Amino acid sequence: MKIFAIFGNPIKHSKSPIIHKLFANQLNIIQQYKKIYVPIDKFNNIINNFFKNGGYGANITIPFKKKAYNICDFLTDRGIKSGVVNTLKIIKNNKILGDNTDGIGLLKDLQKIKFIHKNSNILLLGAGGAAKGIIYSIINFGCKITIVNRTYKNSYNLLKFFNNKKNISIIKIEDIDNIINNKKINYDLIINATSSSIKGEVPKISSKIIHSNIFCYDLFYSINITPFLEWCLYHGAKKISDGIGMLIEQAAYSFFLWHGVMPNTELILKQFKKKYFF
Ligand SMILES: NC(=O)c1ccc[n+]([C@@H]2O[C@H](COP(=O)([O-])OP(=O)(O)OC[C@H]3O[C@@H](n4cnc5c(N)ncnc54)[C@H](OP(=O)(O)O)[C@@H]3O)[C@@H](O)[C@H]2O)c1
């Protein structure tokens, strides 16, 4: 039986074991998938022991995606382009292959719910690990991204990582009002990739970014509406979604890397919501 686990800190809240169990049941695959809590300074030891003791694949979550990238012997193209990985797999000679499935998972969900098209003008809130992991897939699809983050330096570092590609720009959070007023920019889609919703907060940003035709997507998900999406509705948005769809899609791409088969994610999303959210 192949053994898998998700590594993170915190990890209690993770729904990945449930999702991978649903995938395995759907495709008649026998596997074990557990949660592993990792003290901040112990990531390398714990992950290396896991693979030495027969672990076959791993998912990596906050705050270890960069550390996971650094221990990889090989990377997929998505892994290289993102600079952070959320999926590991043991390959020949006990080497570790790293992939990033967050970006493709988000893109797949945005396409399914029709929140994105090739020319979408996107405002991305946040410049942490999740933002870094999704940018490549989104600009590769053809969209334009403007990053705005609480700490400007972190968005600047992100821009540098992506080599100032022409489809990416950054703005200061305090300049957004002027930019919208003077340049008459209308964003088509806002993606909240900050972790503010975890603490019940909303990023401090001008509500002028919201208009009635904008799509609003929060990477965070919960049983109740997220604080960010509630704020969007309050300021006039009509089309909102949280990140459950992305969670399932990114997991499906990890599953594919490990088993070579793709689960039917629409069915899993329905089962997951029915069993765990209602
Ligand atoms: N649905 C999914 O499948 C999925 C996948 C991955 C991640 N996520 C979610 O994505 C979110 C971000 O994760 P991450 O790994 O990128 O975390 P991270 O690396 O810790 O980055 C956090 C980001 O949020 C910003 N931030 C935190 N608190 C804020 C606040 N109160 N106001 C404004 N900005 C704030 C930080 O800004 P500074 O730079 O100023 O600190 C930083 O840009 C989390 O909610 C996570 O659950 C969802």
Side-chain angles (χ1 to χ4, degrees):
M1 182 172 54
K2 288 180 177 163
I3 297 169
F4 302 88
I6 177 154
F7 296 81
N9 179 345
I11 198 63
K12 230 169 138 187
H13 67 287
S14 173
K15 299 277 186 286
S16 291
I18 296 167
I19 293 168
H20 281 276
K21 193 168 181 197
L22 293 173
F23 288 166
N25 288 348
Q26 187 186 67
L27 290 158
N28 291 320
I29 287 172
I30 296 170
Q31 65 174 26
Q32 189 190 91
Y33 188 114
K34 48 193 178 182
K35 291 180 199 180
I36 297 182
Y37 171 83
V38 182
I40 294 298
D41 55 342
K42 294 273 185 302
F43 178 75
N44 286 21
N45 281 355
I46 290 182
I47 196 88
N48 285 329
N49 278 338
F50 171 75
F51 284 127
K52 256 189 219 147
N53 293 321
Y56 183 78
N59 280 132
I60 310 299
T61 187
I62 294 179
F64 300 117
K65 291 181 186 179
K66 178 70 186 165
K67 283 192 174 160
Y69 173 90
N70 289 336
I71 62 154
C72 291
D73 301 296
F74 297 97
L75 289 158
T76 61
D77 195 40
R78 289 192 298 243
I80 295 170
K81 299 278 171 42
S82 308
V84 282
V85 299
N86 69 336
T87 309
L88 301 174
K89 177 187 176 180
I90 280 288
I91 53 171
K92 256 202 271 174
N93 301 325
N94 289 328
K95 299 286 184 200
I96 298 176
L97 171 70
D99 190 11
N100 190 310
T101 67
D102 280 337
I104 185 76
L106 171 66
L107 180 61
K108 193 82 186 283
D109 190 41
L110 289 172
Q111 286 178 290
K112 276 192 175 167
I113 60 178
K114 300 192 169 42
F115 269 31
I116 198 168
H117 55 80
K118 286 200 182 297
N119 302 315
S120 294
N121 190 14
I122 299 174
L123 185 67
L124 176 64
L125 312 184
K132 195 170 183 181
I134 62 180
I135 287 173
Y136 165 68
S137 295
I138 300 283
I139 52 169
N140 199 37
F141 183 63
C143 303
K144 226 164 101 181
I145 284 193
T146 304
I147 306 165
V148 60
N149 190 48
R150 182 176 63 180
T151 311
Y152 182 72
K153 189 166 172 272
N154 294 342
S155 44
Y156 178 75
N157 288 339
L158 212 49
L159 185 71
K160 264 195 358 204
F161 174 82
F162 287 99
N163 286 329
N164 295 298
K165 279 200 178 60
K166 70 173 177 9
N167 284 353
I168 311 181
S169 57
I170 55 175
I171 51 179
K172 289 189 173 151
I173 212 158
E174 60 271 24
D175 290 345
I176 204 146
D177 248 13
N178 279 343
I179 290 173
I180 290 181
N181 283 342
N182 298 339
K183 296 196 180 165
K184 309 248 179 297
I185 293 175
N186 258 2
Y187 296 103
D188 305 309
L189 165 66
I190 303 178
I191 299 174
N192 180 23
T194 74
S195 51
S196 61
S197 287
I198 296 176
K199 293 176 227 140
E201 294 169 5
V202 176
K204 289 190 178 58
I205 190 163
S206 164
S207 60
K208 286 201 175 142
I209 56 176
I210 305 293
H211 55 83
S212 59
N213 289 323
I214 199 156
F215 295 102
C216 303
Y217 193 97
D218 196 346
L219 259 54
F220 189 70
Y221 52 87
S222 68
I223 300 177
N224 302 316
I225 185 167
T226 72
F228 173 70
L229 295 178
E230 200 169 23
W231 178 86
C232 294
L233 286 179
Y234 179 78
H235 290 288
K238 302 217 172 349
K239 293 161 278 191
I240 59 165
S241 174
D242 71 12
I244 297 184
M246 171 185 173
L247 181 75
I248 306 258
E249 297 297 342
Q250 60 79 27
Y253 279 93
S254 295
F255 194 89
F256 182 78
L257 185 82
W258 298 327
H259 298 291
V261 278
M262 198 70 179
N264 179 332
T265 50
E266 258 161 64
L267 286 180
I268 299 292
L269 183 59
K270 276 188 202 144
Q271 282 178 330
F272 181 79
K273 280 188 171 173
K274 204 167 152 197
K275 206 160 175 190
Y276 300 98
F277 273 67
F278 297 104

